[in-house]
Amino acid sequence: MATERMTSPVLVGRDEELDRLVAAATSPPSVTVVEGEAGIGKTRLVTELTRRPELAGRRVLTGGCARIREPFPLGPLLDALRAAGGHLRAVPLSPVAGALRPLMPELADLLPPAPDRLDDKIAERHRVFRGLACLIGSLGPAVLVLEDMHWADEQSVEFLGYLLSDPPPGLGVVLTFRGEEVGPAVRALTARLPGGTAREHLVLRPFGTAATRELAASVLDAERVSEDFAAYLCERTSGLPFAIQELLALLRARGTLVRRGGGWSRKAIDELDVPSGVRDSVLERVSRLSPAAREVAEAASVLQVMATIPVLTAVCRAGGEDALRGLDEALERGLLIERAGRVGYRHLLAVQAVYDDVPLPRRQELHRRAASALEGLDPVPLGQVAHHLRHAGLTGAWVDAAERAADRAAALGDDSEVIRLLADVLRDARLDPARRARLSAKLGWACVDTPGKVDAAALLDAALEHDLPRPLRGELLFLLALNLETAGRDPHRQWRAYAEAVEHLGSRPELAVRAMLGLSMPLAPGVPPAEHVAWLDRALRTLPEVGDRALRTLVYGKAAMVLTTMGDPRWAELSGRMLELTGEPTVSQEVNAFRSAGVNACYPGHHARSERLLTSALRAVTEHDLGRVPEMTCRACLAVLSYARGRWDGLPEETAFLIGRFADSPRHRLLPEAVAACLALHRGEPDAARRALDEAVDACLDMGAIDLLPLPLGALARLAAAQGDAGAVLEKADRARAAWEAKRLWPAAVRALPALAAALIAGGGAGAAAALAARVEERLRGLDAPLGPAALAHARGLIALAAGRRHAAADHLLAAADAYDALLSPYEAAQAREAAADCLSRLAGPAAAAHLQRALAAYAGLGARWDLDRASRLARAQGVAPPARHRSGPRGYGSALSPRESEVAGLAAGGLTNKEIARALFLSTKTVDKHLSAALRKLGLRSRTALARRLPD
């Protein structure tokens, strides 16, 4: 029997899209997204791409993501690379490619020796990433096609982000997905590509009547089909090419198509009553098969994925020769297709249609047969086995298989798959308490590194309802608190869980000391600062019992973090111990220590120390490939520092990028959101800024992030005062003051003091402003608070101005400006000088114009349009010429470093290479080189070594 044609021999209706796809794929480096709903023709389009002559000389690698996942991360990429194995014999490979041996044993003889496995799973994962990137780069000109990215595992998405941050020059990447199902992480892959990387985005639309008519004629090998027939097809299929072809196959099988004059039409519409959609047309085609072929069709629908013939026939209830004959028939009729030695349906729509029609008892039997057949493979596809056992109703066997699959995924660093497998088991299976607790702990650890996938707290709570051994209960309580902290939820519950965990973890000092660190964080309302410090001291006393150097480093870093914002001078000693212990961080916990100490050093004004620690953390992430999440958190902390130091060039784009990256992590997202809200005000967008600042302040208060709170609250207070609505912000200010008072975080809080004083004065509360300044001054006495003198002088100047004491006000404000300059805080210095100029102008002081000009220049350099507009009005009133408006091209900074030049120079002085700086700032290496060259020229330096000596640590 001849195989019935099911598809068009030529591509129809997509000529423009194919031309754009070919142009992008042959203009590397490039990334093309092909987006469209199920059945729209994404696979057909990329298949046609591979046949185009323009791709001659380019290696085409194709991989696809599966609906049923396996605990093998990076599966679609590894599948794509396996086909290129023979090419590897002819090219030298970096030793790092040996990290792929466990994932690609069939290519072991072509790969370098496997390096020793690293203890840090994030570092191990990114060594694998480097190996993959090495292999792809070795292929020369190539096109990498990855289909169905809406089903991609997290590591595949993360690797693509890594690869596309610096793509091989000869690589074109093509990604396909369903827009309605794809996650934000996949869409973000093309959001900020490096310079020189082309981007194309194709959205495939349903066919209209004309394209439907052309497709039908091609499938039927006819010159034409009747117009009413084409309109009928288009209406019944919603213009989906796959559905059009399925309906044509059904009509042909029914004999309802008639040839007329070299074309095709159908019998009268009222004779047909063809059901709409794909489902009924597929099922009617199946019903016309022999019994054996129907059994094969049902078995293939249960397997879902393409399967080998032995597996398919083993699942089929019609055994032996009957199953083979049925398979031949299904292939000849075009219901199933063969691809690379495997057999299955051409499209998931057909799979689902047949599967849903199989009665439940028969479906469960087929799932049992599928699990049994797959268990005989080597390696066993544990994800598929677990899926089939679950749907077979074999709960105990399903739980066993799911745990085995989760353990394999954990060994390979695939936390997302661990979470998916175990969350289903914990929600839906009846488990004894000990097993529930054990599986909950495995899930809890996976969720710490991959937050936002499930409600880990609810699943951990369920396990804690039972009597458990003390060490296991302590571990679950610790994980509950840690997951709540990561999610930014319920500080009270975090505190209680950490405290109870310590009671149960006497035999596990490594976990106990981490719980003590959690209790030292000033997050939970109502806990006095002395109690946080007591837990911190207890953690430090426990350190001799901890042998892990990275964990000891983390304790020192977190201790320094807590004490810095409290103004306790011991923070410097603990920070020094951290540096002595590690020198430079190399693993994730050490990066966490440096990052935590670094960002909290920024809040009270230790800007130089903050930069040194954060730069070291980011350098370690890039040098040791510790992962995208650690990189993004370092960059979020550096965004806060850049804002504090007035390095705003490119910062709005950076914060927007980070907010998108942290879509599932509210606590991590809060840092870039707070900075972005402040920048919106400075750009002159008061309405948008008001909403964003309100949200950021509320989030800080709700999550206990009261060390970050002064940034958005200060900006909100200034905006409210300027809008004559100071009273609206005072309630939030009262909550903030109460939180700062309760936790003794005045060294960080003092950053907001001038803005709060201005809001109180604007609301008629000059006395309250003076009282607040006096209280802050008293609270800061004896504490290490670099911002204190500058902010107090700034606030005193505003208070004196409100009282009409202009001479005193000008003295205070100019002293504040000088102090801000010493801290490298140009924005605050400009505010103080602007206010001083206002005072001096009213006193007819000759220096008023000079101070105002300095403020105007600073605002212009920062791009602070809102402030520049206000200061320019003051300048016009005083007869001072404002700076010329910037109309095009970059703003000029003369011999001074621009904010971006200063940022690049600081990172270079910290030891980062141009490539590492480019990755950190999401610039091209050419742009980094331009900024660094300009910085060296302006500073009169010739080398990075001289730059490191010139710039402060």
Coordinates of all heavy atoms in Angstrom, one line a residue, residues 739-785:
A739 N 10.7 51.0 62.9 CA 11.5 49.8 62.6 C 13.0 50.1 62.8 O 13.8 49.3 63.4 CB 11.3 49.4 61.1
W740 N 13.5 51.3 62.4 CA 14.9 51.6 62.6 C 15.3 51.7 64.1 O 16.3 51.3 64.5 CB 15.3 52.9 61.9 CG 15.2 52.8 60.4 CD1 15.5 51.8 59.6 CD2 14.8 53.9 59.5 NE1 15.3 52.0 58.3 CE2 14.9 53.3 58.2 CE3 14.4 55.2 59.7 CZ2 14.6 54.1 57.0 CZ3 14.0 55.9 58.5 CH2 14.1 55.4 57.2
E741 N 14.3 52.3 64.8 CA 14.6 52.4 66.3 C 14.6 51.0 66.9 O 15.5 50.7 67.7 CB 13.4 53.2 66.9 CG 13.6 53.4 68.4 CD 14.7 54.4 68.7 OE1 14.9 55.4 68.0 OE2 15.4 54.1 69.7
A742 N 13.7 50.2 66.5 CA 13.6 48.8 67.1 C 14.8 48.0 66.8 O 15.3 47.2 67.7 CB 12.3 48.1 66.6
K743 N 15.4 48.1 65.7 CA 16.6 47.3 65.3 C 17.9 48.1 65.4 O 18.9 47.5 65.1 CB 16.4 46.8 63.8 CG 15.1 46.0 63.6 CD 15.2 44.7 64.5 CE 14.0 43.8 64.2 NZ 14.0 42.6 65.1
R744 N 17.8 49.4 65.8 CA 19.0 50.2 65.9 C 19.8 50.3 64.6 O 21.0 50.1 64.6 CB 19.9 49.6 67.0 CG 19.3 49.7 68.4 CD 19.1 51.1 68.9 NE 18.8 51.1 70.3 CZ 17.6 51.1 70.8 NH1 16.5 51.0 70.0 NH2 17.4 51.2 72.1
L745 N 19.1 50.5 63.5 CA 19.8 50.5 62.2 C 19.9 52.0 61.8 O 19.9 52.3 60.6 CB 19.0 49.8 61.2 CG 18.8 48.3 61.4 CD1 18.2 47.6 60.2 CD2 20.2 47.6 61.7
W746 N 20.2 52.9 62.7 CA 20.3 54.3 62.3 C 21.5 54.6 61.4 O 21.4 55.5 60.6 CB 20.4 55.2 63.6 CG 19.1 55.2 64.3 CD1 18.8 54.6 65.5 CD2 17.9 55.8 63.9 NE1 17.5 54.8 65.9 CE2 16.9 55.5 64.9 CE3 17.5 56.5 62.8 CZ2 15.6 56.0 64.8 CZ3 16.2 57.0 62.7 CH2 15.3 56.7 63.7
P747 N 22.6 53.9 61.5 CA 23.7 54.2 60.5 C 23.3 54.0 59.1 O 23.8 54.8 58.2 CB 24.8 53.1 60.9 CG 24.6 52.9 62.4 CD 23.1 52.9 62.5
A748 N 22.4 53.1 58.8 CA 21.8 53.0 57.4 C 20.7 54.0 57.2 O 20.6 54.6 56.1 CB 21.4 51.6 57.1
A749 N 19.9 54.2 58.2 CA 18.7 55.0 58.1 C 19.0 56.5 57.9 O 18.2 57.2 57.3 CB 17.8 54.9 59.4
V750 N 20.2 56.9 58.4 CA 20.5 58.3 58.3 C 20.6 58.8 56.9 O 20.4 60.0 56.6 CB 21.9 58.6 59.0 CG1 23.1 58.1 58.2 CG2 22.1 60.1 59.3
R751 N 20.7 57.9 55.9 CA 20.7 58.4 54.5 C 19.4 59.1 54.1 O 19.4 60.0 53.3 CB 20.9 57.1 53.6 CG 21.1 57.4 52.1 CD 21.2 56.2 51.3 NE 22.5 55.5 51.5 CZ 23.6 55.7 50.9 NH1 23.7 56.7 50.0 NH2 24.7 55.0 51.2
A752 N 18.3 58.7 54.8 CA 17.0 59.3 54.4 C 16.7 60.5 55.3 O 15.7 61.2 55.1 CB 15.9 58.2 54.6
L753 N 17.5 60.8 56.3 CA 17.2 61.9 57.2 C 16.9 63.2 56.5 O 15.9 63.9 56.8 CB 18.3 62.0 58.2 CG 18.2 63.2 59.2 CD1 16.9 63.0 60.1 CD2 19.4 63.3 60.1
P754 N 17.8 63.7 55.6 CA 17.5 65.1 55.0 C 16.1 65.1 54.3 O 15.4 66.1 54.4 CB 18.6 65.3 54.0 CG 19.8 64.4 54.6 CD 19.1 63.2 55.1
A755 N 15.8 64.0 53.6 CA 14.5 64.0 52.9 C 13.4 64.0 53.8 O 12.3 64.6 53.6 CB 14.5 62.8 51.9
L756 N 13.5 63.2 54.9 CA 12.4 63.1 55.9 C 12.3 64.5 56.6 O 11.1 64.9 56.9 CB 12.7 62.0 56.9 CG 12.6 60.6 56.3 CD1 12.9 59.6 57.4 CD2 11.2 60.3 55.7
A757 N 13.4 65.1 56.9 CA 13.3 66.5 57.5 C 12.6 67.4 56.6 O 11.8 68.2 57.0 CB 14.7 67.0 57.9
A758 N 12.9 67.4 55.3 CA 12.3 68.3 54.3 C 10.8 68.0 54.3 O 10.0 69.0 54.2 CB 12.9 68.1 53.0
A759 N 10.4 66.7 54.3 CA 8.9 66.4 54.3 C 8.2 66.9 55.5 O 7.1 67.5 55.4 CB 8.8 64.9 54.1
L760 N 8.9 66.7 56.7 CA 8.3 67.2 57.9 C 8.1 68.8 57.9 O 7.1 69.3 58.3 CB 9.1 66.8 59.1 CG 9.0 65.3 59.5 CD1 10.1 64.9 60.4 CD2 7.6 65.0 60.1
I761 N 9.1 69.4 57.4 CA 9.1 70.9 57.3 C 8.0 71.3 56.3 O 7.2 72.3 56.6 CB 10.5 71.5 56.8 CG1 11.5 71.2 57.9 CG2 10.4 72.9 56.5 CD1 12.9 71.5 57.5
A762 N 7.9 70.7 55.2 CA 6.9 71.0 54.2 C 5.5 70.8 54.8 O 4.5 71.5 54.4 CB 7.1 70.2 52.9
G763 N 5.3 69.8 55.7 CA 4.0 69.6 56.3 C 3.8 70.4 57.5 O 2.8 70.1 58.3
G764 N 4.6 71.4 57.8 CA 4.4 72.3 58.9 C 5.0 71.7 60.2 O 4.7 72.2 61.3
G765 N 5.9 70.8 60.1 CA 6.5 70.2 61.3 C 7.9 70.4 61.5 O 8.7 69.5 61.6
A766 N 8.4 71.7 61.4 CA 9.8 72.0 61.6 C 10.3 71.5 62.9 O 11.4 71.1 63.0 CB 10.0 73.5 61.4
G767 N 9.5 71.7 64.0 CA 9.9 71.2 65.3 C 10.1 69.7 65.3 O 11.0 69.2 65.9
A768 N 9.2 69.0 64.6 CA 9.4 67.5 64.5 C 10.6 67.1 63.8 O 11.3 66.2 64.1 CB 8.1 66.9 63.8
A769 N 10.9 67.9 62.7 CA 12.2 67.7 62.0 C 13.4 67.9 62.9 O 14.3 67.1 62.8 CB 12.2 68.6 60.8
A770 N 13.4 68.9 63.7 CA 14.5 69.2 64.6 C 14.6 68.1 65.6 O 15.7 67.6 65.9 CB 14.3 70.5 65.3
A771 N 13.5 67.6 66.1 CA 13.5 66.5 67.1 C 14.0 65.2 66.5 O 14.8 64.5 67.1 CB 12.1 66.3 67.7
L772 N 13.6 65.0 65.2 CA 14.1 63.8 64.6 C 15.6 63.8 64.4 O 16.4 62.9 64.7 CB 13.4 63.6 63.2 CG 14.0 62.5 62.3 CD1 13.7 61.1 63.0 CD2 13.3 62.5 60.9
A773 N 16.2 65.0 63.9 CA 17.6 65.1 63.7 C 18.3 65.0 65.1 O 19.4 64.3 65.1 CB 17.9 66.5 63.1
A774 N 17.8 65.5 66.1 CA 18.4 65.4 67.4 C 18.5 63.9 67.9 O 19.5 63.4 68.4 CB 17.7 66.3 68.5
R775 N 17.3 63.2 67.6 CA 17.3 61.8 68.1 C 18.3 61.0 67.3 O 19.0 60.1 67.8 CB 15.9 61.3 67.8 CG 15.7 59.8 68.4 CD 14.3 59.3 68.1 NE 13.3 60.2 68.4 CZ 12.3 60.6 67.6 NH1 12.2 60.1 66.4 NH2 11.4 61.5 68.1
V776 N 18.4 61.2 66.0 CA 19.3 60.5 65.1 C 20.7 60.8 65.6 O 21.6 59.9 65.7 CB 19.1 60.8 63.6 CG1 20.2 60.2 62.8 CG2 17.7 60.3 63.2
E777 N 21.0 62.0 65.8 CA 22.4 62.4 66.3 C 22.7 61.6 67.6 O 23.8 61.1 67.7 CB 22.5 63.9 66.5 CG 23.9 64.3 66.9 CD 24.0 65.8 67.0 OE1 22.9 66.5 67.2 OE2 25.1 66.3 67.0
E778 N 21.8 61.6 68.5 CA 22.0 60.9 69.8 C 22.2 59.4 69.5 O 23.1 58.8 70.1 CB 20.9 61.2 70.7 CG 21.1 60.7 72.1 CD 20.7 59.2 72.3 OE1 19.8 58.8 71.7 OE2 21.4 58.6 73.2
R779 N 21.4 58.8 68.6 CA 21.5 57.4 68.4 C 22.8 57.0 67.7 O 23.3 55.9 67.8 CB 20.3 56.9 67.5 CG 19.0 57.0 68.2 CD 18.8 56.0 69.3 NE 17.5 56.0 69.8 CZ 17.0 56.7 70.9 NH1 17.9 57.5 71.5 NH2 15.8 56.6 71.3
L780 N 23.4 57.9 66.9 CA 24.6 57.6 66.2 C 25.9 57.8 67.0 O 26.9 57.4 66.6 CB 24.7 58.5 64.9 CG 23.7 58.2 63.8 CD1 23.9 59.2 62.6 CD2 23.8 56.8 63.3
R781 N 25.7 58.4 68.2 CA 26.9 58.7 69.0 C 27.7 57.4 69.3 O 27.1 56.5 69.8 CB 26.5 59.4 70.2 CG 27.6 60.1 71.0 CD 27.1 61.1 72.0 NE 26.5 62.2 71.4 CZ 25.2 62.6 71.7 NH1 24.5 61.9 72.5 NH2 24.8 63.7 71.1
G782 N 28.9 57.4 68.9 CA 29.8 56.3 69.2 C 29.7 55.2 68.2 O 30.4 54.2 68.3
L783 N 28.9 55.3 67.2 CA 28.7 54.3 66.2 C 29.6 54.6 64.9 O 29.9 55.7 64.7 CB 27.3 54.1 65.8 CG 26.3 53.7 66.9 CD1 24.9 53.6 66.3 CD2 26.7 52.5 67.6
D784 N 29.9 53.6 64.1 CA 30.6 53.7 62.9 C 29.6 54.0 61.8 O 29.0 53.0 61.3 CB 31.4 52.4 62.6 CG 32.3 52.5 61.4 OD1 32.3 53.6 60.8 OD2 33.0 51.6 61.1
A785 N 29.4 55.2 61.4 CA 28.3 55.6 60.5 C 28.9 56.7 59.6 O 28.7 57.9 59.8 CB 27.1 56.1 61.2

